[in-house]
Amino acid sequence: MRVGFVGLGNVGGKLASSLLRNGIELVVRDLDRAAMAPFLDAGAGEASSGAELAERCDVVITCLPTPAASAAVLEAPDGLLAGFGPAVASSSAGSGPKIWAEMSTTDHHEVRRLGARVEAAGGAAIDCPVSGGCHRAATGNISILAGGERDTFEAMLPLLRAMGRRILHTGPLGSASILKVVTNYLATANLVSLCEALVTSHAAGMDLATTYEAIRISSGNSFVHETESQVILNGSRDINFTMDLVCKDIGLFADIAAEHGLPLELSPVLVDVFADGAARFGEREWSPNIIRRLEDATGRTITAPGFPAEIVDDEPEVAGAEVVVRRGQ
């Protein structure tokens, strides 16, 4: 099976590296040639256009920063849609249709719209965003949510198992994008509450390393604490995720809630907090630096020795497996 990969940024580059590391034949495309260079050096092919990439590949993966970017990559005159049709003759995937796999965090309405265009061109579509941080994407241990027809999911599963550890089939196309936005919203709420907890602990005279451990071993622990609190305390604040991406994700969550008429209370506060953070510190500032709003307001510096500047996944890479949903009888 030959795979085309468009978008070799912080997450996409790591997912594409997992495919190469696991022996998948890869063709890549990115506007940044420097991002492509290590893949070409490692034996990946290069396509001069989206249409050429789609023509040459059985599966085309996009991992891009915004819904608009994905739409442009697919719908440009020489974009991916122009190259869709039957799977290429060299495919080991059988006679099934060519697959577009959207691995971006995106709007579920947009992924369904683009998916309908892919299907009209003779292909199949699946949305399969990832969750767990860049450090887990680098080792192939990230979680993957996948929405689409079951036969499309099963055709994609060998590739998903090469890129991630836990793979959940979430339902029809677009369902994974909804759930990805939900999980990112929860992570954002956790990050903002942790910032308040760390600043409050510091103000109360607590040692911050001890505070970190108290939270870690308590009911207040979370994945966000075990990762982002560490780079906050180090001072690097480098989690490979920026404020503009948080604003996009929690904005998508707010749109889903508004569409269904839900009177949410916390969501508008988070939107305002990150809009203010992006305006103050820059859209491309690392997202954990949202704590600077409290540091600046209180004159406190929330750092402690002994914490890493970046998070590295120290778990060995294992082949991914499908997560089975527990259902009552």
Side-chain angles (χ1 to χ4, degrees), residues 14-328:
K14 294 173 177 61
L15 297 173
S17 292
S18 289
L19 292 173
L20 267 183
R21 187 171 63 250
N22 284 283
I24 305 298
E25 185 179 358
L26 199 63
V27 181
V28 296
R29 181 163 172 77
D30 194 284
L31 294 178
D32 182 0
R33 289 202 61 81
M36 293 174 57
F39 293 94
L40 302 180
D41 292 344
E46 177 183 2
S48 61
S49 69
E52 180 194 336
L53 183 142
E55 287 170 358
R56 292 170 56 186
C57 297
D58 306 293
V59 174
V60 176
I61 296 172
T62 49
C63 191
L64 298 160
T66 65
S70 291
V73 164
L74 268 81
E75 297 181 307
D78 61 349
L80 297 177
L81 280 171
F84 263 82
V88 294
S90 64
S91 173
S92 60
S95 58
K98 200 170 289 193
I99 296 172
W100 168 53
E102 172 63 290
M103 299 195 77
S104 318
T105 300
T106 190
D107 175 67
H108 66 289
H109 293 301
E110 184 68 351
V111 80
R112 287 169 180 165
R113 183 187 73 81
L114 293 171
R117 294 207 62 187
V118 167
E119 291 166 3
I126 187 169
D127 59 324
C128 36
V130 300
S131 184
C134 284
H135 63 296
R136 288 190 180 273
T139 58
N141 287 326
I142 203 161
S143 296
I144 304 177
L145 309 176
E149 296 296 327
R150 183 70 200 186
D151 57 349
T152 305
F153 171 77
E154 290 178 354
M156 274 293 298
L157 192 53
L159 299 179
L160 299 179
R161 292 180 71 239
M163 290 184 284
R165 174 177 287 195
R166 301 176 185 89
I167 300 106
L168 177 65
H169 184 218
T170 56
L173 183 67
S175 61
S177 293
I178 292 173
L179 290 175
K180 167 60 173 174
V181 168
V182 167
T183 64
N184 277 19
Y185 167 77
L186 290 170
T188 302
N190 200 182
L191 172 60
V192 172
S193 66
L194 282 165
C195 290
E196 293 187 350
L198 292 172
V199 173
T200 300
S201 296
H202 187 267
M206 297 297 101
D207 174 76
L208 289 175
T210 303
T211 299
Y212 173 85
E213 292 299 335
I215 297 171
R216 188 183 67 82
I217 66 172
S218 74
S219 59
N221 192 34
S222 66
F223 178 84
V224 173
H225 175 61
E226 292 192 358
T227 55
E228 299 195 39
S229 288
Q230 293 204 64
V231 297
I232 287 174
L233 292 171
N234 171 273
S236 77
R237 313 303 165 69
D238 181 359
I239 204 69
N240 267 304
F241 203 73
T242 51
M243 291 196 182
D244 59 334
L245 296 178
V246 175
C247 290
K248 178 200 73 172
D249 293 351
I250 60 178
L252 290 170
F253 177 85
D255 290 344
I256 294 170
E259 182 180 345
H260 295 281
L262 303 179
L264 302 187
E265 297 177 341
L266 181 56
S267 173
V269 173
L270 294 177
V271 169
D272 289 345
V273 165
F274 265 92
D276 179 67
R280 291 193 196 193
F281 313 127
E283 292 186 342
R284 301 302 292 168
E285 178 60 87
W286 296 127
S287 56
N289 239 342
I290 198 68
I291 198 172
R292 281 185 58 193
R293 294 174 72 252
L294 290 170
E295 288 180 317
D296 291 352
T298 63
R300 298 178 181 278
T301 300
I302 307 302
T303 58
F307 290 90
E310 61 179 355
I311 302 300
V312 176
D313 185 17
D314 58 3
E315 294 184 33
E317 181 176 9
V318 299
E322 181 179 357
V323 174
V324 178
V325 177
R326 297 179 184 179
R327 301 190 189 278

